[in-house]
Amino acid sequence: MWPSGRTAGAVLSFDFDAEEVWLADDPDNARRPGVLSQGRYGAKVGVPLILELSRESELRATFFVPGAVAARYPDRVREILAGGHEVALHGYTHRSPAALPPDEEEDELHRSLEALRALDADPVGYRSPSWDFSERTLGLLDREGILYSSNMMDDLRPYRHEGSRLIELPVHWMLDDAAHFWIDGRESWTKKISTPGGVLEIWQDEFEGIRRLGSVTVLTMHPQFIGRPSRLAMLRELVDVMQSHPDLWIATAREVAERADVALERS
Ligand code: ZN
């Protein structure tokens, strides 16, 4: 399924959540600027630094953006698009589809499509807030003609969902920066913040393993977590390692899903 000369793939994906994670967690957080500032960092500082890194490393990434974030930070989304990156769906608010009544889940999907299209994005991929599906999600995505999902942990290779056109680009907690870096208050203070070096070791070993299997490494990152200077330096190191493999194709999730779609059709 890879372009000629390539034997494996990698996708750098960023879930541009901004304040929405904290607003979904507790609507009362709307009155707590200190709490929300954890997410605002992503919009103010994280995304611009990620765009700079991408420019310098000449790579294109995929940004999953909640509709409400696109509405609040339209210029950031335009900058992402202007950098040649993909913008894809991540809910309207950051509420899990599994926690929504059916009409609200459908409404969220439609509003998020509208919000991204209003900024001239052409979203064809979906990552649910929290990687969570309801029993209706798959059918809704199919009906909207969505090409791919990036939410499931049951494989290392892209596959097609049963009874659906939808391509899955599998993810995993170990390749998610939130699992290693997310500390946001008293409940998580028993946890230690991981060192960038420790996370680099985990990511690099897993990347090498997936690459040897000829599959695709999907990194899930969040501007509010990965967007700190020491962590971005770590990401740059990982990108350098990836780019030292001439047989690796670093692409957007859409590009990988399009090739998987054709390859799975043939097989
Ligand atoms: Zn998210």
Side-chain angles (χ1 to χ4, degrees):
M1 64 165 277
W2 306 113
S4 91
R6 311 296 174 100
T7 57
V11 172
L12 273 62
S13 72
F14 298 92
D15 297 358
F16 179 14
D17 299 321
E19 296 91 340
E20 289 304 312
V21 169
W22 287 271
L23 291 170
D25 195 33
D26 179 359
D28 259 5
N29 282 337
R31 297 184 295 106
R32 300 186 185 113
V35 168
L36 293 185
S37 68
Q38 299 172 86
R40 189 171 306 122
Y41 177 87
K44 275 175 76 176
V45 184
V47 169
L49 290 178
I50 290 164
L51 292 178
E52 186 184 298
L53 186 156
S54 307
R55 216 167 25 243
E56 287 168 5
S57 299
E58 294 181 11
L59 55 86
R60 284 169 307 106
T62 296
F63 289 76
F64 294 95
V65 187
V69 172
R72 197 175 306 125
Y73 299 106
D75 288 342
R76 275 289 177 268
V77 175
R78 288 190 190 101
E79 285 164 24
I80 291 168
L81 289 166
H85 305 286
E86 177 191 6
V87 167
L89 301 161
H90 195 44
Y92 189 85
T93 64
H94 203 276
R95 295 175 300 165
S96 160
L100 296 174
D103 55 331
E104 272 191 62
E105 182 180 0
E106 196 169 346
D107 185 55
E108 283 254 338
L109 181 60
H110 291 152
R111 288 170 71 205
S112 64
L113 276 163
E114 278 167 28
L116 299 188
R117 284 174 182 157
L119 298 171
D120 289 328
D122 174 27
V124 299
Y126 177 74
R127 175 168 291 152
S128 114
S130 67
W131 286 339
D132 210 1
F133 272 28
S134 78
E135 61 224 351
R136 300 167 299 273
T137 308
L138 203 53
L140 281 173
L141 297 175
D142 244 351
R143 209 178 312 150
E144 291 300 330
I146 302 301
L147 169 68
Y148 73 90
S149 144
S150 185
N151 296 283
M152 301 292 159
M153 303 196 195
D154 55 351
D155 213 326
L156 291 167
R157 296 172 191 282
Y159 64 87
R160 198 182 300 282
H161 281 269
E162 226 177 283
S164 161
R165 292 289 313 159
L166 205 69
I167 298 290
E168 179 65 34
L169 301 181
V171 292
H172 196 270
W173 284 120
M174 67 189 294
L175 293 171
D176 182 334
D177 63 349
H180 305 291
F181 295 133
W182 192 352
I183 300 271
D184 84 347
R186 283 162 205 229
E187 301 92 66
S188 50
W189 279 0
T190 49
K191 192 182 147 187
K192 284 262 186 293
I193 294 178
S194 301
T195 61
V199 176
L200 176 63
E201 194 182 332
I202 292 171
W203 285 1
Q204 195 174 324
D205 288 353
E206 185 69 0
F207 156 70
E208 295 288 3
I210 294 174
R211 187 185 65 82
R212 279 194 293 272
L213 289 169
S215 193
V216 57
T217 301
V218 180
L219 276 175
T220 299
M221 297 170 281
H222 301 76
Q224 68 268 29
F225 305 134
I226 198 75
R228 307 297 305 190
S230 57
R231 296 168 185 171
L232 285 170
M234 177 273 280
L235 178 59
R236 199 178 287 261
E237 253 184 81
L238 180 67
V239 166
D240 287 347
V241 169
M242 286 178 164
Q243 290 180 329
S244 71
H245 293 285
D247 54 353
L248 182 79
W249 190 45
I250 303 179
T252 64
R254 178 183 191 149
E255 290 169 321
V256 173
E258 280 171 346
R259 292 198 72 94
D261 189 29
V262 173
L264 290 165
E265 194 69 54
R266 273 200 311 259
S267 64

